[in-house]
Amino acid sequence: MNKRLDQLYPYPFEKLNVLLDDIVPPDGIEPVSLSLGEPKHRAPEFIINRFSDRETIARGFGTYPPTRGYLTLRQAIADFVNKRFNLTRKVNPDTEVLPVNGTREGLFAIAQTVIDGTNNSVTLIPNPFYQIYEGAAILAGSTPVYIPCTQNTGFNPDFSFVTDDQWQNCSLVYICNPGNPSGSVMSIPALQSLIRKSDEYDFVIVSDECYSEIYAAEAPPGLLEAASRMGRDDYRNCITFNSLSKRSNLPGLRSGYVCGDAQILEKFLLYRTYHGSAMSAHNQWISELAWQDENHVVANRRRYAEKYSSVLDILANVWPMQRPAAGFYLWPETPIADDEFARRLLAETNVEVLPGSFLSREVNGINPGRNRIRMALVADLDQCVEAANRIRQFRLISR
């Protein structure tokens, strides 16, 4: 048995189930979940129609899909990346793009490819963070180092906490841009500073950009965009992930991409060939259509903007907070411990939220998620409004 499995922490939603197990919500009040970042908007109609094409379905059942992905899909992804991130040297769909089965699978697998677990490897992880980063590092034989993301730095990672020895032993840096759970956005200069560190210490940067298409005003920059502006035409040590889950409301499709450094992706393809992670033919054809269309993405942003506006207006007088730059979460402070707040909110209102401390680790006595909660505005507008009205009456914030 792999003994590193014993080092893994319980997943946040396992902890949430335990935390809330004995809570009995009020009778007659329908539950509203704001805990899980699972988009509930209806999938685009042109995607649904493609799924109903019997000939397409039949054809997909009769072939082993290529791990590398069909060229038409890789080209559609490359076209999206080149245009969206204003790349001066266009990414090559033959060598710099691979499909993945959602970013979760790919973000885990990339660590197994780039980390040499035989040395004193460390992996830098933003804190709070998407739990896959931590588990991927541990199972690859690397020690996670948690980089604080606090209000003082606009909830972006503060790399000033990294020691010289940690930089020297660094194999991999995970960033989430826009951030989960805060919705913070790293600037081009901040991304370029990290790229220069990679030049100095030769580590891989993995940028999780799955929230990049849900934003309030300006489109968030990406890691490849930052590299491109530096004249880094080879995108050395820069790897980005994105998916259709948030962008296109297709979490069940399990479809995303990895893009960047061709030498790393060559090894990643080798790993994936043995791992057996080819995306099904049906999903590849449907994904190609989704990456080529922007109209449904624009409409999706409008729906999130409407929900943010409605929810924040309702809570303004009792629990004021601001819309983040990107993403679909709210990350407010709580008047009491975040886990107790979540328990009492469910008990009084039947609204479920995720304690912030479940998304982060305590370092030197500080947990950046403590006394915060994550609220995912993924439900339909009427449910989000209903949840906000209940929260407005919640005794812990209304008095």
Side-chain angles (χ1 to χ4, degrees):
M1 189 67 69
N2 186 344
K3 295 188 181 302
R4 291 173 181 158
L5 289 168
D6 296 332
Q7 300 176 43
L8 299 181
Y9 291 80
Y11 209 66
F13 297 102
E14 295 176 20
K15 294 177 66 175
L16 184 65
N17 290 338
V18 172
L19 176 72
L20 304 179
D21 182 61
D22 63 337
I23 300 297
V24 179
D27 288 336
I29 301 179
E30 290 295 317
V32 178
S33 176
L34 304 180
S35 57
L36 183 62
E38 181 182 60
K40 295 300 185 182
H41 297 172
R42 182 175 171 85
E45 290 300 322
F46 69 92
I47 296 296
I48 296 172
N49 292 338
R50 182 67 167 174
F51 256 123
S52 64
D53 184 336
R54 290 172 58 85
E55 186 56 36
T56 298
I57 294 172
R59 185 158 50 99
F61 284 146
T63 180
Y64 284 120
T67 303
R68 185 186 295 273
Y70 294 120
L71 176 58
T72 52
L73 171 58
R74 286 184 278 116
Q75 185 64 63
I77 292 170
D79 290 344
F80 165 78
V81 172
N82 291 329
K83 182 177 180 181
R84 167 63 177 81
F85 296 105
N86 308 301
L87 302 187
T88 54
R89 204 278 289 166
K90 310 303 183 186
V91 296
N92 186 338
D94 288 326
T95 60
E96 296 174 322
V97 176
L98 289 173
V100 294
N101 294 302
T103 52
R104 178 173 181 166
E105 175 264 321
L107 287 164
F108 176 85
I110 192 68
Q112 318 312 306
T113 301
V114 304
I115 291 174
D116 179 359
T118 61
N119 55 25
N120 295 321
S121 164
V122 301
T123 296
L124 307 187
I125 296 173
N127 192 25
F129 57 94
Y130 182 40
Q131 306 295 292
I132 295 303
Y133 312 154
E134 179 186 67
I138 290 172
L139 291 176
S142 186
T143 300
V145 172
Y146 305 99
I147 310 303
C149 302
T150 66
Q151 193 165 7
N152 292 336
T153 57
F155 299 107
N156 284 316
D158 186 354
F159 290 105
S160 69
F161 281 81
V162 183
T163 67
D164 288 342
D165 284 346
Q166 288 170 337
W167 283 123
Q168 195 68 49
N169 292 322
C170 183
S171 300
L172 173 62
V173 174
Y174 279 109
I175 57 175
C176 189
N177 190 43
N180 171 10
S182 68
S184 61
V185 172
M186 293 180 69
S187 66
I188 288 287
L191 293 168
Q192 291 176 337
S193 176
L194 188 58
I195 292 171
R196 293 188 188 96
K197 281 290 187 184
S198 175
D199 291 341
E200 183 177 357
Y201 293 101
D202 195 27
F203 54 79
V204 176
I205 307 168
V206 168
S207 182
D208 179 356
E209 299 176 358
C210 71
Y211 298 95
S212 69
E213 304 312 289
I214 303 172
Y215 50 85
E218 296 183 9
L223 181 65
L224 299 188
E225 182 177 359
S228 180
R229 293 196 192 183
M230 299 170 74
R232 305 300 180 90
D233 289 344
D234 60 355
Y235 304 116
R236 180 176 180 272
N237 280 343
C238 293
I239 298 292
T240 64
F241 285 86
N242 210 328
S243 89
L244 295 172
S245 296
K246 278 72 175 178
R247 175 185 183 270
S248 301
N249 302 312
L250 295 170
L253 190 66
R254 309 314 304 133
S255 177
Y257 70 71
V258 55
C259 185
D261 186 322
Q263 292 186 359
I264 294 174
L265 289 196
E266 181 182 14
K267 296 297 185 182
F268 194 36
L269 176 60
L270 175 63
Y271 174 89
R272 297 177 68 74
T273 300
Y274 278 85
H275 185 55
S277 53
M279 184 188 297
S280 74
H282 306 97
N283 287 12
Q284 292 198 45
W285 295 327
I286 290 164
S287 300
E288 178 186 339
L289 293 180
W291 288 116
Q292 290 172 331
D293 183 79
E294 286 295 322
N295 292 331
H296 75 284
V297 185
V298 174
N300 196 39
R301 277 197 293 273
R302 283 198 295 263
R303 295 178 71 181
Y304 280 113
E306 185 177 8
K307 287 192 286 188
Y308 270 118
S309 177
S310 298
V311 168
L312 295 180
D313 282 350
I314 292 168
L315 296 178
N317 292 331
V318 294
W319 201 15
M321 58 190 84
Q322 292 184 331
R323 179 181 177 178
F328 49 52
Y329 300 116
L330 289 169
W331 184 235
E333 292 185 86
T334 57
I336 60 172
D338 52 297
D339 55 351
E340 183 60 23
F341 184 93
R343 284 175 54 83
R344 292 173 64 174
L345 182 67
L346 183 67
E348 290 189 29
T349 71
N350 210 2
V351 174
E352 184 176 286
V353 296
L354 184 65
S357 59
F358 288 12
L359 295 169
S360 48
R361 298 284 175 254
E362 183 171 312
V363 179
N364 297 325
I366 299 174
N367 184 321
R370 185 177 293 135
N371 293 339
R372 289 188 179 273
I373 58 160
R374 192 185 77 174
M375 296 193 294
L377 301 187
V378 291
D380 288 335
L381 175 63
D382 58 345
Q383 282 192 298
C384 289
V385 167
E386 172 64 21
N389 280 317
R390 294 184 201 173
I391 293 171
R392 184 173 60 181
Q393 302 302 319
F394 183 41
R395 284 177 292 176
L396 278 176
I397 64 169
S398 61
R399 58 192 177 193

